[in-house]
Amino acid sequence: MTDTILTTTPAAGVRQITMNRPERKNALDRASYRGLIDAIAMAEADNAIRAMVLTGADQCFTSGNDIEDFVAVTDSGPRVAMEFLTAISTAKKPIVAAVEGFAVGIGTTMLLHCDLAFAGTGARFRLPFVTMGLCPEGASSYLLPLLAGSKRASELLMLGEAFGPDIAVDAGLINAVTPQGEALARALDKASALAALPPQSVTLTKSLLKRGATEAIAETIATESRHFGERLLSAEAKAAFAAFLKR
Ligand code: COA
């Protein structure tokens, strides 16, 4: 397990998974994705664990994919980020997200695959895929129009402007806004409530809730990933990465 992903069991039946690279605003590099995949698999396999909480260290969720890792990509083939998206979108046990600070790129799209999500008043969300010369990922091009409506989805995915937790509630990305610094406590509370319920009934209900969209989500993740892999090598993306790293 990498030290950029921490796992703890803060309450009975609850596995907390913390993205922990505060000096990079918890940007997800390849090792971090691998750590997240392993952490989800371990929670899924552990009979004592009934719910997961996903959060970020130091009052920041995550600044998204590590841009230096984007720069290092040399071919458009499968990336570990896609494996992570498959893992989080097909997990059988419930996942509750706790967001403070930044949730950028995949930091926002992963919320589409969490069962519950809470964010503090200071949370800032952003889907800057077009800004970065890329394209949507994480099945966001399918799920966001469904949840938020097509106009809102186009606004968030095409313009890529930052938005706050009230819009995140409206767009169906989170359940509720908490006072700043209290998202994790709320998420742990809800995860504990889920962990206390009959576990087979909880996982059955999750699978029934997801059933109608399962195939479309998998197909969209695969299609977006193909385009995303090509976009990573594009001149538009290379220029955007260079501009970020030169700031
Ligand atoms: N990849 C790599 N490094 C990142 C990063 C990322 N996604 N996000 C932040 N960092 C680094 C910064 O380069 C900076 O490094 P430095 O201390 O060596 O200069 C450090 O983390 C702190 O970030 P900083 O930008 O100074 O913090 P901030 O509070 O001013 O802004 C963000 C935070 C998240 C708004 C800003 O860092 C950002 O926009 N990051 C890129 C997000 C992004 O585009 N992700 C990919 C989407 S597809």
Side-chain angles (χ1 to χ4, degrees), residues 23-25 27 63-68 70 102 104-105 126 128-129 132 134 244 247:
E23 72 288 355
R24 285 277 174 269
K25 302 282 174 189
S63 59
N65 203 102
D66 189 292
I67 303 228
E68 290 185 20
F70 274 163
F102 296 108
V104 184
R126 196 173 169 213
F129 299 119
M132 298 304 280
L134 300 168
F244 175 77
R247 291 175 312 159

mmCIF file of all heavy atoms in Angstrom, residues 23-25 27 63-68 70 102 104-105 126 128-129 132 134 244 247, ligand 1:
data_model
loop_
_atom_site.group_PDB
_atom_site.id
_atom_site.type_symbol
_atom_site.label_atom_id
_atom_site.label_comp_id
_atom_site.label_asym_id
_atom_site.label_seq_id
_atom_site.Cartn_x
_atom_site.Cartn_y
_atom_site.Cartn_z
ATOM 1 N N GLU A 23 1.153 18.070 -0.262
ATOM 2 C CA GLU A 23 2.054 19.035 -0.924
ATOM 3 C C GLU A 23 1.703 19.197 -2.396
ATOM 4 O O GLU A 23 2.159 20.128 -3.055
ATOM 5 C CB GLU A 23 3.524 18.618 -0.735
ATOM 6 C CG GLU A 23 4.012 17.398 -1.528
ATOM 7 C CD GLU A 23 3.465 16.039 -1.035
ATOM 8 O OE1 GLU A 23 2.769 15.995 -0.001
ATOM 9 O OE2 GLU A 23 3.755 15.021 -1.704
ATOM 10 N N ARG A 24 0.874 18.309 -2.923
ATOM 11 C CA ARG A 24 0.389 18.388 -4.319
ATOM 12 C C ARG A 24 -1.137 18.502 -4.344
ATOM 13 O O ARG A 24 -1.773 18.127 -5.319
ATOM 14 C CB ARG A 24 0.820 17.138 -5.102
ATOM 15 C CG ARG A 24 2.284 17.121 -5.477
ATOM 16 C CD ARG A 24 2.511 17.940 -6.747
ATOM 17 N NE ARG A 24 3.907 18.094 -7.090
ATOM 18 C CZ ARG A 24 4.682 19.111 -6.682
ATOM 19 N NH1 ARG A 24 4.228 20.030 -5.869
ATOM 20 N NH2 ARG A 24 5.935 19.195 -7.064
ATOM 21 N N LYS A 25 -1.697 19.014 -3.253
ATOM 22 C CA LYS A 25 -3.165 19.116 -3.142
ATOM 23 C C LYS A 25 -3.824 17.760 -3.424
ATOM 24 O O LYS A 25 -4.871 17.672 -4.066
ATOM 25 C CB LYS A 25 -3.730 20.188 -4.085
ATOM 26 C CG LYS A 25 -3.159 21.581 -3.848
ATOM 27 C CD LYS A 25 -3.791 22.245 -2.644
ATOM 28 C CE LYS A 25 -3.112 23.577 -2.343
ATOM 29 N NZ LYS A 25 -3.532 24.166 -1.087
ATOM 30 N N ALA A 27 -3.021 15.479 -5.487
ATOM 31 C CA ALA A 27 -3.083 15.069 -6.898
ATOM 32 C C ALA A 27 -2.825 13.565 -6.977
ATOM 33 O O ALA A 27 -2.009 13.017 -6.232
ATOM 34 C CB ALA A 27 -2.034 15.824 -7.712
ATOM 35 N N SER A 63 -6.815 17.532 -6.210
ATOM 36 C CA SER A 63 -6.665 18.415 -7.386
ATOM 37 C C SER A 63 -6.704 17.614 -8.674
ATOM 38 O O SER A 63 -6.367 18.130 -9.734
ATOM 39 C CB SER A 63 -5.352 19.194 -7.289
ATOM 40 O OG SER A 63 -4.257 18.294 -7.218
ATOM 41 N N GLY A 64 -7.094 16.345 -8.587
ATOM 42 C CA GLY A 64 -7.275 15.544 -9.798
ATOM 43 C C GLY A 64 -6.009 14.833 -10.214
ATOM 44 O O GLY A 64 -5.071 14.677 -9.435
ATOM 45 N N ASN A 65 -6.008 14.407 -11.457
ATOM 46 C CA ASN A 65 -4.857 13.645 -11.951
ATOM 47 C C ASN A 65 -3.586 14.490 -11.850
ATOM 48 O O ASN A 65 -3.592 15.690 -12.132
ATOM 49 C CB ASN A 65 -5.089 13.278 -13.420
ATOM 50 C CG ASN A 65 -4.271 12.072 -13.842
ATOM 51 O OD1 ASN A 65 -4.784 10.975 -13.938
ATOM 52 N ND2 ASN A 65 -2.973 12.252 -14.088
ATOM 53 N N ASP A 66 -2.485 13.858 -11.476
ATOM 54 C CA ASP A 66 -1.200 14.558 -11.430
ATOM 55 C C ASP A 66 -0.814 15.007 -12.840
ATOM 56 O O ASP A 66 -0.713 14.188 -13.752
ATOM 57 C CB ASP A 66 -0.131 13.627 -10.855
ATOM 58 C CG ASP A 66 1.157 14.377 -10.589
ATOM 59 O OD1 ASP A 66 1.793 14.803 -11.568
ATOM 60 O OD2 ASP A 66 1.499 14.552 -9.406
ATOM 61 N N ILE A 67 -0.593 16.310 -13.001
ATOM 62 C CA ILE A 67 -0.337 16.844 -14.342
ATOM 63 C C ILE A 67 1.032 16.392 -14.855
ATOM 64 O O ILE A 67 1.212 16.180 -16.053
ATOM 65 C CB ILE A 67 -0.481 18.379 -14.327
ATOM 66 C CG1 ILE A 67 -1.877 18.698 -13.820
ATOM 67 C CG2 ILE A 67 -0.166 18.989 -15.702
ATOM 68 C CD1 ILE A 67 -2.718 19.651 -14.530
ATOM 69 N N GLU A 68 1.976 16.192 -13.942
ATOM 70 C CA GLU A 68 3.281 15.694 -14.411
ATOM 71 C C GLU A 68 3.148 14.271 -14.968
ATOM 72 O O GLU A 68 3.837 13.900 -15.908
ATOM 73 C CB GLU A 68 4.307 15.758 -13.282
ATOM 74 C CG GLU A 68 4.669 17.200 -12.970
ATOM 75 C CD GLU A 68 5.771 17.351 -11.939
ATOM 76 O OE1 GLU A 68 6.521 16.390 -11.719
ATOM 77 O OE2 GLU A 68 5.864 18.441 -11.353
ATOM 78 N N PHE A 70 0.451 13.255 -16.487
ATOM 79 C CA PHE A 70 -0.144 13.474 -17.809
ATOM 80 C C PHE A 70 0.964 13.747 -18.833
ATOM 81 O O PHE A 70 0.957 13.208 -19.932
ATOM 82 C CB PHE A 70 -1.097 14.683 -17.791
ATOM 83 C CG PHE A 70 -2.521 14.379 -17.366
ATOM 84 C CD1 PHE A 70 -3.368 15.421 -16.975
ATOM 85 C CD2 PHE A 70 -3.032 13.094 -17.392
ATOM 86 C CE1 PHE A 70 -4.682 15.175 -16.609
ATOM 87 C CE2 PHE A 70 -4.355 12.838 -17.024
ATOM 88 C CZ PHE A 70 -5.173 13.888 -16.636
ATOM 89 N N PHE A 102 -10.521 21.630 -2.592
ATOM 90 C CA PHE A 102 -10.636 21.402 -4.036
ATOM 91 C C PHE A 102 -11.041 19.967 -4.381
ATOM 92 O O PHE A 102 -10.539 19.010 -3.799
ATOM 93 C CB PHE A 102 -9.289 21.706 -4.713
ATOM 94 C CG PHE A 102 -8.892 23.143 -4.589
ATOM 95 C CD1 PHE A 102 -7.859 23.522 -3.740
ATOM 96 C CD2 PHE A 102 -9.558 24.125 -5.302
ATOM 97 C CE1 PHE A 102 -7.500 24.855 -3.604
ATOM 98 C CE2 PHE A 102 -9.204 25.463 -5.176
ATOM 99 C CZ PHE A 102 -8.172 25.830 -4.321
ATOM 100 N N VAL A 104 -11.114 18.585 -8.110
ATOM 101 C CA VAL A 104 -10.904 18.995 -9.502
ATOM 102 C C VAL A 104 -10.852 17.770 -10.407
ATOM 103 O O VAL A 104 -10.284 16.730 -10.026
ATOM 104 C CB VAL A 104 -9.590 19.803 -9.650
ATOM 105 C CG1 VAL A 104 -9.426 20.315 -11.079
ATOM 106 C CG2 VAL A 104 -9.547 20.965 -8.667
ATOM 107 N N GLY A 105 -11.382 17.889 -11.600
ATOM 108 C CA GLY A 105 -11.286 16.814 -12.591
ATOM 109 C C GLY A 105 -11.870 15.520 -12.056
ATOM 110 O O GLY A 105 -13.040 15.455 -11.670
ATOM 111 N N ARG A 126 -14.460 21.568 -9.894
ATOM 112 C CA ARG A 126 -14.142 22.059 -11.239
ATOM 113 C C ARG A 126 -13.913 20.882 -12.169
ATOM 114 O O ARG A 126 -13.293 19.883 -11.788
ATOM 115 C CB ARG A 126 -12.880 22.931 -11.179
ATOM 116 C CG ARG A 126 -12.727 23.765 -12.414
ATOM 117 C CD ARG A 126 -11.584 24.767 -12.330
ATOM 118 N NE ARG A 126 -11.409 25.299 -13.672
ATOM 119 C CZ ARG A 126 -10.255 25.667 -14.205
ATOM 120 N NH1 ARG A 126 -9.147 25.603 -13.480
ATOM 121 N NH2 ARG A 126 -10.195 26.107 -15.434
ATOM 122 N N PRO A 128 -12.187 20.833 -15.446
ATOM 123 C CA PRO A 128 -11.465 21.630 -16.452
ATOM 124 C C PRO A 128 -10.911 20.783 -17.597
ATOM 125 O O PRO A 128 -9.790 21.021 -18.061
ATOM 126 C CB PRO A 128 -10.315 22.227 -15.621
ATOM 127 C CG PRO A 128 -10.004 21.156 -14.627
ATOM 128 C CD PRO A 128 -11.305 20.441 -14.335
ATOM 129 N N PHE A 129 -11.710 19.805 -18.069
ATOM 130 C CA PHE A 129 -11.177 18.901 -19.098
ATOM 131 C C PHE A 129 -10.926 19.653 -20.406
ATOM 132 O O PHE A 129 -9.871 19.511 -21.010
ATOM 133 C CB PHE A 129 -12.129 17.724 -19.317
ATOM 134 C CG PHE A 129 -12.329 16.896 -18.072
ATOM 135 C CD1 PHE A 129 -13.574 16.755 -17.495
ATOM 136 C CD2 PHE A 129 -11.247 16.276 -17.460
ATOM 137 C CE1 PHE A 129 -13.756 16.005 -16.340
ATOM 138 C CE2 PHE A 129 -11.408 15.524 -16.305
ATOM 139 C CZ PHE A 129 -12.672 15.400 -15.742
ATOM 140 N N MET A 132 -8.064 22.045 -20.272
ATOM 141 C CA MET A 132 -6.764 21.368 -20.326
ATOM 142 C C MET A 132 -6.545 20.657 -21.660
ATOM 143 O O MET A 132 -5.591 19.885 -21.808
ATOM 144 C CB MET A 132 -6.655 20.334 -19.187
ATOM 145 C CG MET A 132 -6.734 20.918 -17.789
ATOM 146 S SD MET A 132 -5.502 22.193 -17.467
ATOM 147 C CE MET A 132 -4.056 21.195 -17.126
ATOM 148 N N LEU A 134 -8.423 18.380 -22.931
ATOM 149 C CA LEU A 134 -8.788 16.961 -22.786
ATOM 150 C C LEU A 134 -10.270 16.775 -23.118
ATOM 151 O O LEU A 134 -10.848 17.528 -23.880
ATOM 152 C CB LEU A 134 -8.446 16.503 -21.356
ATOM 153 C CG LEU A 134 -6.958 16.627 -20.992
ATOM 154 C CD1 LEU A 134 -6.738 16.441 -19.498
ATOM 155 C CD2 LEU A 134 -6.140 15.593 -21.781
ATOM 156 N N PHE A 244 0.429 25.135 -17.102
ATOM 157 C CA PHE A 244 0.222 24.906 -15.659
ATOM 158 C C PHE A 244 1.562 24.746 -14.952
ATOM 159 O O PHE A 244 1.797 25.344 -13.898
ATOM 160 C CB PHE A 244 -0.649 23.666 -15.419
ATOM 161 C CG PHE A 244 -0.783 23.341 -13.951
ATOM 162 C CD1 PHE A 244 -1.634 24.086 -13.134
ATOM 163 C CD2 PHE A 244 -0.039 22.313 -13.375
ATOM 164 C CE1 PHE A 244 -1.743 23.813 -11.769
ATOM 165 C CE2 PHE A 244 -0.141 22.036 -12.010
ATOM 166 C CZ PHE A 244 -0.996 22.782 -11.211
ATOM 167 N N ARG A 247 3.619 28.033 -14.320
ATOM 168 C CA ARG A 247 3.023 29.174 -13.604
ATOM 169 C C ARG A 247 4.036 29.817 -12.656
ATOM 170 O O ARG A 247 4.823 29.140 -12.022
ATOM 171 C CB ARG A 247 1.842 28.708 -12.745
ATOM 172 C CG ARG A 247 0.654 28.258 -13.468
ATOM 173 C CD ARG A 247 -0.361 27.726 -12.492
ATOM 174 N NE ARG A 247 0.258 26.793 -11.556
ATOM 175 C CZ ARG A 247 -0.225 26.449 -10.366
ATOM 176 N NH1 ARG A 247 -1.350 26.984 -9.946
ATOM 177 N NH2 ARG A 247 0.394 25.595 -9.570
HETATM 178 N N1 COA B 1 -0.845 17.819 -10.576
HETATM 179 C C1 COA B 1 0.408 18.090 -10.200
HETATM 180 N N2 COA B 1 0.721 19.033 -9.289
HETATM 181 C C2 COA B 1 -0.306 19.724 -8.752
HETATM 182 C C3 COA B 1 -1.635 19.503 -9.110
HETATM 183 C C4 COA B 1 -1.890 18.480 -10.062
HETATM 184 N N3 COA B 1 -3.139 18.168 -10.456
HETATM 185 N N4 COA B 1 -2.425 20.335 -8.419
HETATM 186 C C5 COA B 1 -1.614 21.073 -7.641
HETATM 187 N N5 COA B 1 -0.332 20.704 -7.844
HETATM 188 C C6 COA B 1 0.857 21.266 -7.202
HETATM 189 C C7 COA B 1 1.126 22.695 -7.670
HETATM 190 O O1 COA B 1 1.883 22.692 -8.861
HETATM 191 C C8 COA B 1 1.879 23.245 -6.492
HETATM 192 O O2 COA B 1 3.212 22.793 -6.571
HETATM 193 P P1 COA B 1 4.439 23.762 -6.111
HETATM 194 O O3 COA B 1 4.233 23.945 -4.632
HETATM 195 O O4 COA B 1 5.650 22.968 -6.457
HETATM 196 O O5 COA B 1 4.280 25.031 -6.893
HETATM 197 C C9 COA B 1 1.251 22.534 -5.293
HETATM 198 O O6 COA B 1 0.611 21.373 -5.806
HETATM 199 C C10 COA B 1 0.201 23.367 -4.588
HETATM 200 O O7 COA B 1 -0.764 23.789 -5.565
HETATM 201 P P2 COA B 1 -1.123 25.336 -5.834
HETATM 202 O O8 COA B 1 -1.560 25.448 -7.254
HETATM 203 O O9 COA B 1 -0.008 26.222 -5.390
HETATM 204 O O10 COA B 1 -2.363 25.521 -4.851
HETATM 205 P P3 COA B 1 -3.591 26.524 -5.016
HETATM 206 O O11 COA B 1 -4.327 26.437 -3.736
HETATM 207 O O12 COA B 1 -3.138 27.882 -5.491
HETATM 208 O O13 COA B 1 -4.489 25.918 -6.207
HETATM 209 C C11 COA B 1 -5.620 24.157 -7.422
HETATM 210 C C12 COA B 1 -5.028 24.618 -6.074
HETATM 211 C C13 COA B 1 -6.106 22.726 -7.242
HETATM 212 C C14 COA B 1 -6.783 25.071 -7.823
HETATM 213 C C15 COA B 1 -4.527 24.256 -8.522
HETATM 214 O O14 COA B 1 -3.348 23.643 -8.039
HETATM 215 C C16 COA B 1 -4.899 23.573 -9.814
HETATM 216 O O15 COA B 1 -5.650 24.110 -10.603
HETATM 217 N N6 COA B 1 -4.331 22.364 -10.032
HETATM 218 C C17 COA B 1 -4.504 21.649 -11.288
HETATM 219 C C18 COA B 1 -5.845 20.965 -11.326
HETATM 220 C C19 COA B 1 -6.052 20.238 -12.640
HETATM 221 O O16 COA B 1 -6.068 20.828 -13.695
HETATM 222 N N7 COA B 1 -6.191 18.915 -12.546
HETATM 223 C C20 COA B 1 -6.350 18.047 -13.690
HETATM 224 C C21 COA B 1 -7.730 18.145 -14.227
HETATM 225 S S1 COA B 1 -7.972 17.183 -15.675
#
